[in-house]
Amino acid sequence: VLGQGGPYRAFFSDISRELMTHSGQKNDYYPFNLFIPTTNNIHKIGSYRDLYYINPHSTSMQDLQYYQLIGQLLAMALRTNIIMNINLAPYIWKYLVKESMTLDDLEMIDVNSIQNIIKPLLACENEEEFNQLSSHRYVITTSDGLVLKDYNKQVTWSNRQDYISEFLSTRYHESSLQLKALLKGFTSMIPHAAIMLYTWQELQIKV
């Protein structure tokens, strides 16, 4: 697509704006509720304070069809050299090029939970160090704070590894269905072998 204007570019601009728009009220995102501001974005803390991520609760059949459509739109933008104004968290781009999500990716979404709970627990080498930490309830939440499981007990030295594993597994996989739908749409427009020629950073910049 040549030039900087025209209805084609305007279409993608409008789509980008609607996907990234919310009213500022909690749980009130217009119009699709598919991408929501990260906790860091809402509270303006940590790094990457302008990012949006996949709503972990948008898992209905209709939602997944929308994610597939969005994947197709992202691929169309890449093929036609359109820059979409979307600030998606890096783990989304990583998934498209089969790169694994890391602890740093989780921190870009929810710095409080990772820096104040998970990293201190991971750093403990003995029970004495553990006892110096603030106490935490054994509660598993999604990235937006929804409680999935409350075991009605505290995290202890003996159960800390189980807690860390369950916490991280929940966060790493909370958007698996949506990511699969997004990738399905993307690869329906561009062969995955071609996508793999990009790094996630290059894909982020080009779209």
Side-chain angles (χ1 to χ4, degrees):
V1 177
L2 301 177
Q4 298 301 314
Y8 189 80
R9 290 185 184 277
F11 167 78
F12 282 94
S13 178
D14 290 343
I15 290 292
S16 301
R17 184 171 60 253
E18 291 194 358
L19 289 175
M20 298 291 105
T21 296
H22 67 102
S23 69
Q25 300 298 315
K26 186 177 181 180
N27 298 325
D28 186 10
Y29 306 101
Y30 172 85
F32 299 115
N33 203 30
L34 300 174
F35 297 99
I36 58 179
T38 64
T39 302
N40 296 356
N41 186 337
I42 293 172
H43 299 293
K44 301 305 176 188
I45 56 176
S47 303
Y48 301 94
R49 300 181 184 185
D50 60 344
L51 295 179
Y52 284 66
Y53 73 114
I54 289 174
N55 186 342
H57 313 296
S58 294
T59 56
S60 70
M61 184 63 68
Q62 184 179 53
D63 289 334
L64 296 180
Q65 289 173 344
Y66 281 139
Y67 284 114
Q68 187 173 336
L69 174 60
I70 291 168
Q72 291 175 324
L73 291 172
L74 293 176
M76 288 172 62
L78 179 62
R79 289 181 60 172
T80 56
N81 198 31
I82 297 291
I83 303 297
M84 295 182 70
N85 186 26
I86 49 175
N87 298 320
L88 299 180
Y91 79 91
I92 297 173
W93 304 108
K94 285 184 174 183
Y95 187 87
L96 295 177
V97 297
K98 291 189 175 181
E99 190 170 329
S100 298
M101 194 174 183
T102 67
L103 195 61
D104 288 339
D105 293 314
L106 295 183
E107 191 170 333
M108 292 180 195
I109 298 170
D110 180 11
V111 65
N112 271 338
S113 293
I114 303 305
Q115 284 194 359
N116 297 333
I117 301 177
I118 299 303
K119 283 189 173 180
L121 288 175
L122 288 170
C124 285
E125 296 184 354
N126 53 59
E127 189 169 0
E128 183 179 353
E129 289 183 4
F130 175 84
N131 290 333
Q132 301 301 313
L133 301 178
S134 301
S135 61
H136 297 290
R137 286 179 59 79
Y138 200 122
V139 175
I140 304 301
T141 64
T142 53
S143 294
D144 62 346
L146 180 72
V147 175
L148 295 181
K149 298 178 183 177
D150 186 343
Y151 290 91
N152 196 29
K153 61 183 179 181
Q154 296 295 115
V155 178
T156 64
W157 172 250
S158 60
N159 68 25
R160 76 195 188 286
Q161 293 295 351
D162 292 335
Y163 173 74
I164 292 170
S165 295
E166 187 171 3
F167 180 100
L168 293 180
S169 178
T170 298
R171 295 295 178 93
Y172 284 141
H173 298 103
E174 66 183 6
S175 300
S176 294
L177 290 175
Q178 299 93 315
L179 285 168
K180 287 178 182 178
L182 194 74
L183 179 62
K184 182 178 181 180
F186 204 99
T187 53
S188 71
M189 306 295 292
I190 299 177
H192 208 181
I195 301 171
M196 296 299 292
L197 296 175
Y198 294 97
T199 65
W200 72 263
Q201 294 96 334
E202 290 171 338
L203 201 59
Q204 182 185 43
I205 292 171
K206 286 184 174 294
V207 181

